[in-house]
Amino acid sequence: MEPFDLVVIGAGAAGLAAATTAAEMGARVAVAEAGPLGGLSVNRGCVPKKTLVTSGRVHRLVRDAGTFGTVGGEVRLDWDAVVQRQHRVVDQLRPTAADLEKRGIRVVVGVARFTDPHIVEVDGRPLGAERFVIAAGSEPAILEIPGRERCITSDQLLFLPAFPTSLTFVGGGPVALELAGAFADFGSRVTVLARDAEVLPGVDPDVARHLRKRMEERGVTFRLQTAVRRLAPVAGGVRIEFDSAGMANELTSSQVCAAVGRRFHPRTIGAARIGLEMGRLGLRTSPYLCTSVPHIYAAGDAAGNRQLTPVAEHEGRIAAVNALRGDVERADEAVIPQVIFTTPEVATVGLAYGEAPAQGLHPAVARQDARGSHNGVATAEDAGYFKLVFDQDTQRLIGAQMVSPAAAELIQLCALAIRSRVPATVVAGQLAAHPSHGERLLKTFGPEPPVVSRVTQSAGVVESRP
Ligand SMILES: Cc1cc2nc3c(=O)[nH]c(=O)nc-3n(C[C@H](O)[C@H](O)[C@H](O)COP(=O)(O)OP(=O)(O)OC[C@H]3O[C@@H](n4cnc5c(N)ncnc54)[C@H](O)[C@@H]3O)c2cc1C
């Protein structure tokens, strides 16, 4: 058996970052992968999702083209072409074993399971190493209700062979809303059954409400505070029985997609055999990403932190460095932009208002409804809503949440403002390009923008400046 300095389990965003980092550090490294290289993000997550969302937007735009003065013929959906494009994009972006081998990384195909703290077996072949990084990702949570086999997950929905004329999502989180918006754009009758009083748990409720209203205008039906009880087969689809505000209800849909979260499953790597301990969504790790077994590190969804590709890459790199050099770098990155690719987009970064006091900060909120902006009216888009959190003592931005057609790009400006610790007045003093979606964001930085409210923590009141 060839000994390696480091074996990485999983070749998704986290595993590829870990293996590449280790190879660049001169280590002998192997990566074991049971499925296609690139993992969730490239094959069943970010990439096909963004491709589908883009195809949906194009379909709606062409349907509505008359508004902009372009009159075409009959618009019809070629679903096969949409799915074929998904496959083409994924194939183009999926890394190859040859790419990795060129960088000095040995690729071992198969399911890796620990048989000993220093050995994994990959489909029966032993692979030994001094150190390991577990980057084995996550799996969709299963609905624990009768008839659950009637529903699919995002894995299947992204490449569905037949277009669903009606589609119901169980769950009101980012994945459900992104895909709900895309299928509504294609003309499917879409319903979202969300458990909580508002969609997007963890996102500011004003921001989440703003998005929900826009999605309702685009034809998505939302039922909030629901509990799905049972799924049953009916001709042409599935009957969904659910409670809504304490009342029994039901609806029928051609497809039902459960999007109720994801978690790492320890059995996928034989974790119990070597005493690896679990946390809430992933393996229990130290701030240095070390698991409960000292020579084994974890990264990405397997480590149970924020389930995002940039986090997985960041953690993969840190896990490799710490595994090979001792615990030298912590993984507590606080400035993580997150984008939800709905129309309009939602983006968040840094601290929410309620999280700031625990860090010894005195937050103040500035917010701005950008509807009616010159750019929004000219482009026929909802220009969105911005909510910024400042530290009153330093007058610096500490968090931002927004709905905007350009949120994925604008949030990066906010992330930079937080990281570089520039005073809000410096950002506010920057002249904005016109007409642009960023104009209203820059205005939200103050010092006294036209429509700004500040919420003081002690009083909990809203002070509006006309
Ligand atoms: C529909 C959807 C859309 C998303 N969109 C976004 C987005 O827009 N932006 C964003 O930042 N994040 C998004 N995410 C989240 C993001 O995709 C994940 O957080 C990220 O891909 C996790 O990377 P990872 O490397 O930890 O895991 P993965 O990419 O899942 O990689 C784990 C790999 O390990 C392999 N593996 C598992 N067990 C074994 C084993 N025993 N032996 C060998 N190999 C094994 C798996 O086959 C897999 O390839 C989305 C997720 C979903 C589901």
Side-chain angles (χ1 to χ4, degrees), residues 9-10 12-14 32-35 39-41 44-46 49 110-112 135-137 154 175 262 268-269 300-301 307-310 312 341:
I9 302 178
E33 172 54 63
L40 180 63
S41 177
R44 289 167 288 116
C46 319
K49 183 270 311 281
V111 178
S154 58
V175 170
R262 302 178 64 95
T268 53
I269 54 152
D301 286 7
Q307 294 178 342
L308 292 170
T309 296
F341 290 94

Side-chain angles (χ1 to χ4, degrees), residues 10-13 16 33 35-45 48 90 94-95:
L16 290 174
E33 172 54 63
L37 295 176
L40 180 63
S41 177
V42 174
N43 296 289
R44 289 167 288 116
V90 169
R94 183 186 296 124

Side-chain angles (χ1 to χ4, degrees), residues 141 252 255 257 280 391 395 418 446:
T252 300
Q255 287 284 358
C257 177
R280 196 172 69 85
D391 175 33
Q395 294 294 305
I418 296 172

Side-chain angles (χ1 to χ4, degrees), residues 148-154 156-157 160 167 255-259:
R148 60 177 170 267
E149 66 285 355
R150 302 280 158 200
C151 75
I152 57 175
T153 68
S154 58
Q156 293 89 42
L157 187 61
L160 214 51
L167 175 62
Q255 287 284 358
V256 182
C257 177

Side-chain angles (χ1 to χ4, degrees), residues 8-17 31-50 108-114 121-123 134-140 153-155 158 174-176 178-179 262 264-270 299-303 305-313 315 337-341:
V8 179
I9 302 178
L16 290 174
V31 61
E33 172 54 63
L37 295 176
L40 180 63
S41 177
V42 174
N43 296 289
R44 289 167 288 116
C46 319
V47 168
K49 183 270 311 281
K50 185 94 189 241
V108 185
V109 177
V111 178
R113 284 206 178 82
F114 282 98
E121 234 175 53
V122 185
D123 289 352
I134 300 170
S138 59
E139 290 175 19
T153 68
S154 58
D155 286 358
L158 284 164
V175 170
E178 290 173 328
L179 295 175
R262 302 178 64 95
F264 167 71
H265 281 279
R267 62 172 159 65
T268 53
I269 54 152
D301 286 7
N305 298 316
R306 305 269 308 266
Q307 294 178 342
L308 292 170
T309 296
V311 174
E313 287 173 351
E315 290 186 351
Q338 178 179 4
V339 177
I340 301 161
F341 290 94

Side-chain angles (χ1 to χ4, degrees), residues 6 8-24 29-33 36-43 93-97 99-101 103 105-107 133-136 299-300 309 312-318 320:
L6 185 76
V8 179
I9 302 178
L16 290 174
T20 309
T21 303
E24 282 166 1
V29 56
V31 61
E33 172 54 63
L37 295 176
L40 180 63
S41 177
V42 174
N43 296 289
L93 297 177
R94 183 186 296 124
T96 65
D99 295 337
L100 301 182
E101 302 274 355
R103 294 170 167 226
I105 300 162
R106 174 74 62 83
V107 178
V133 171
I134 300 170
T309 296
E313 287 173 351
H314 175 72
E315 290 186 351
R317 187 188 61 75
I318 289 176

